[in-house]
Structure formats: structure tokens, C-alpha cells
Amino acid sequence: MTRAGIVTVVGRPNAGKSTLLNRLVGEKLAITSPKPQSTRKRIVGILTRDDAQLVVHDTPGLLHPRYALQKAMRSEALAALEDADVIAYLVDGSRGPVEPLQAVARLEAPPRAPVVTVINKADLLAPEARLQLAEANPSALFVSATTGDGMPALVDRLVSLLPESPFLYDAEDVSTQHLRFFVEELVRETALEQLEDEVPYSIACEVEEFREDRDPVYIRVVLFVERESQKHIVIGREGERIRQIGMVARTKVENLLGQRVYLDLWVKVLDNWRRNERSLKRFGFVLPEEPSS
Ligand SMILES: Nc1nc2c(ncn2[C@@H]2O[C@H](COP(=O)(O)OP(=O)(O)OP(=O)(O)O)[C@@H](O)[C@H]2O)c(=O)[nH]1
Ligand SMILES: [Mg+2]
């Protein structure tokens, strides 16, 4: 009998969760960034081998939310924890001792699914630091999501904890999400690379038109910012910044589609969208239900 199920990857912002998802699946699905809080929504990647299928859910980093978007991000991570058959709790090993998942996620009770503690960024660890972490966390696995070190052992451990089940998706599938979503994410990733401070965090991307019947494929993406001043920054002097973002993002989108692409980027203001429930819903975020009392 084969094994199959959901492996949810959780951890603090910047632990390397999205890099790990891409490494496991062998495709660049999730955007990654040295800046924290790059992932806002769950990303699904599928890894199929002869005896098992791992449906890997990458999640937004666990943090204490300060505004509505962050509440939606936390809520998404907690929902993914609920959905998990196995939890891969990813920790940045270069940041000191491992804190318990229950504390980091502020969970009232331990999660239902078994938890595998995975110490990432092992490539950055001096031998003594690694030894100390290993002694304090005897069942943890060491990996490097960037070099791929430790991946086979990690996959074996995750598979051993999955339930016996037929495959949930076709063996060729790599994700369950639409191309549009990945295009939006690639544009946002490029904005994260090229803009500083609050500006990239104020950006939400939305594909407005996607014409696959054209060559090059025509894709119009709107970058929503929160204020007029941010719009000026994103566009740049004589449109230089948005042109740069467009050029880099186009190459990424062409790699994704395997086709030539005309990427038409627009910048619009949606006042304070990160704090506005209606705007968040428009972008597909789900806000947690507030307790009624
Ligand atoms: N040296 C090293 N860097 C890594 C490793 N894994 C990830 N990184 C880097 O850590 C940074 C964060 O990686 P992400 O994969 O975006 O982290 P994340 O946990 O998804 O972050 P959020 O989505 O913001 O919560 C990036 O600059 C990665 O290149 C690793 O194994 N070794
Ligand atoms: Mg991420």
C-alpha cells in the first residue's frame, strides 16, 4: 500500500519554509526572500515517488499579528496545521536554541498531527553549534534547504509518518494552484527584491488579464499599494523602477510558462488595504472569526 497525505511546513518567518517546499518538489513554486514575511498564503506543492505522495503545504511565518493582513496570515498557518497529517516544524538553526512549536505558534493544545522538528540552514552551523543543537533535540533532523543536504532522510521520515492511502493527485501534478496565482507571486517577489522598507510589504498583486491565445502571452498585473507616495516610489523616476521590476518578473514568468510573455504592469492605490477587511477578502485572504464575546 502506498502512503499519502498533507505535510504542513510551519515555523517562524524567514526559517526557510518556502525554500524547503521548492527543494522538496524540485520546482520553484513558492517565492523566497531574505526579507521576512514573504509568504502570505498557503502554497501547495506535490512530491510523488513510487511508494508515497507528499502534499506539502508551505505557510506564512508564525508571528504575533499586528494588523488584519497578519491576522489572516496567522489564521492560514493555523488552518494548515489543522489540515496536516504530518507537521514539519522548520527552525533556523543559526538563530540559537529550538523553541517548542506550541510556544512559537501560541497554541493552547499540542497539534493533532505528529511533529518532525527540522533544523534548517545547517550549512551555516559550526560543528560545535550543530552538536549542541543535536544534543538538545535528539530526534530533530538537520537539513539545508539551499544545498539540499539532508533531504532524503527528511523525506523518508515524513513518509514514515503519513497514513496508508492511495495517491491524492496525479503523479505528474506539482501543485493544485492556478498559474495566475504564481504569476502574481513572481511579480510580488520581484518587488520584494527591488524595493526597501515598508514599500514591498504594501504591495498586493492581481492578474487582471491573462491572454494565452496570444504570442507573446499577454498578462496584465496590477500592483496595489496603500498610499499615493508609495505609488511614486514603485513607478520610480520616469518609470524606471517599474520597468526594472517588469523586466525581471517577465523572465521569471516566461520560465514558469515556457512561453514568451508580454507583462504589462500597472500601479494603483487601494487605501490601507492591509488593514481593510473588504480589500483583504478581494485578494482572497480569510480573516479569522472574532470571538463574539
Ligand atoms: N544559508 C541558508 N539560507 C537559507 C536556507 N534556507 C533558506 N535560506 C534563506 O533564508 C531566507 C528565507 O527563506 P524563505 O524560504 O523565504 O523563508 P520562509 O520561512 O519561507 O519565510 P517567510 O515566508 O517570510 O515566513 C532566504 O534568503 C533563503 O535563501 C538554508 O538552508 N541555508
Ligand atoms: Mg515563505
Side-chain angles (χ1 to χ4, degrees):
M1 186 63 170
T2 55
R3 292 181 183 273
I6 296 176
V7 175
T8 296
V9 184
V10 291
R12 282 201 188 280
N14 220 37
K17 300 176 293 300
S18 301
T19 311
L20 180 72
L21 171 92
N22 293 344
R23 172 64 64 178
L24 285 171
V25 177
E27 299 263 353
K28 184 190 157 71
L29 290 177
I31 67 167
T32 64
S33 164
K35 299 190 176 94
Q37 300 183 50
S38 49
T39 306
R40 289 173 174 165
K41 287 179 180 163
R42 211 187 300 206
I43 319 287
V44 181
I46 303 168
L47 165 63
T48 304
R49 61 180 209 187
D50 287 346
D51 59 337
Q53 186 171 65
L54 290 77
V55 184
V56 184
H57 288 205
D58 173 26
T59 60
L62 293 164
L63 44 72
H64 191 54
R66 288 185 295 119
Y67 49 87
L69 170 63
Q70 290 184 335
K71 282 187 190 163
M73 287 162 60
R74 172 176 159 81
S75 173
E76 184 72 17
L78 296 186
L81 272 178
E82 285 284 313
D83 293 343
D85 292 299
V86 182
I87 295 164
Y89 170 42
L90 197 68
V91 180
D92 179 344
S94 66
R95 305 204 56 154
V98 174
E99 304 157 281
L101 170 60
Q102 206 176 327
V104 168
R106 297 174 184 239
L107 299 174
E108 279 168 20
R112 187 182 39 83
V115 178
V116 178
T117 301
V118 185
I119 299 178
N120 190 32
K121 309 198 186 181
D123 53 296
L124 301 178
L125 292 178
E128 319 82 74
R130 180 173 175 135
L131 202 64
Q132 268 184 9
L133 282 166
E135 277 174 358
N137 307 278
S139 59
L141 294 173
F142 286 84
V143 302
S144 168
T146 46
T147 68
D149 241 30
M151 283 302 137
L154 171 60
V155 175
D156 284 345
R157 172 82 67 85
L158 296 171
V159 167
S160 74
L161 294 167
L162 283 177
E164 289 193 342
S165 157
F167 288 175
L168 305 168
Y169 298 95
D170 281 352
E172 295 75 36
D173 289 355
V174 290
S175 182
T176 59
Q177 284 156 308
H178 297 292
L179 277 177
R180 275 174 180 255
F181 171 68
F182 291 114
V183 171
E184 288 164 356
E185 288 287 271
L186 289 174
V187 175
R188 196 164 65 78
E189 180 184 60
T190 312
L192 266 166
E193 286 161 6
Q194 298 204 13
L195 299 162
E196 293 306 324
D197 304 321
E198 269 306 282
V199 183
Y201 292 106
S202 313
I203 292 178
C205 295
E206 191 174 73
V207 168
E208 269 199 348
E209 199 177 338
F210 199 130
R211 297 282 300 269
E212 278 183 281
D213 54 341
R214 295 206 191 158
D215 182 22
V217 173
Y218 174 83
I219 307 175
R220 186 169 63 247
V221 181
V222 178
L223 290 83
F224 288 96
V225 292
E226 295 193 295
R227 290 192 296 276
E228 201 63 36
S229 58
Q230 294 167 338
K231 181 174 166 178
H232 292 302
I233 295 172
V234 176
I235 291 174
R237 195 183 295 257
E238 293 176 5
E240 189 51 31
R241 175 59 59 208
I242 192 71
R243 239 192 326 274
Q244 280 297 327
I245 293 173
M247 263 164 48
V248 175
R250 174 169 51 90
T251 308
K252 295 180 185 184
V253 175
E254 286 182 337
N255 285 337
L256 175 76
L257 301 186
Q259 271 175 294
R260 290 196 313 138
V261 169
Y262 182 87
L263 191 62
D264 193 9
L265 299 186
W266 291 78
V267 185
K268 292 185 185 169
V269 178
L270 190 60
D271 266 345
N272 269 319
W273 67 263
R274 285 185 293 171
R275 290 177 165 76
N276 182 301
E277 222 169 285
R278 269 190 49 203
S279 305
L280 288 167
K281 279 193 186 142
R282 165 202 180 130
F283 293 131
F285 292 104
V286 183
L287 280 157
E289 281 174 30
E290 299 287 345
S292 47
S293 58

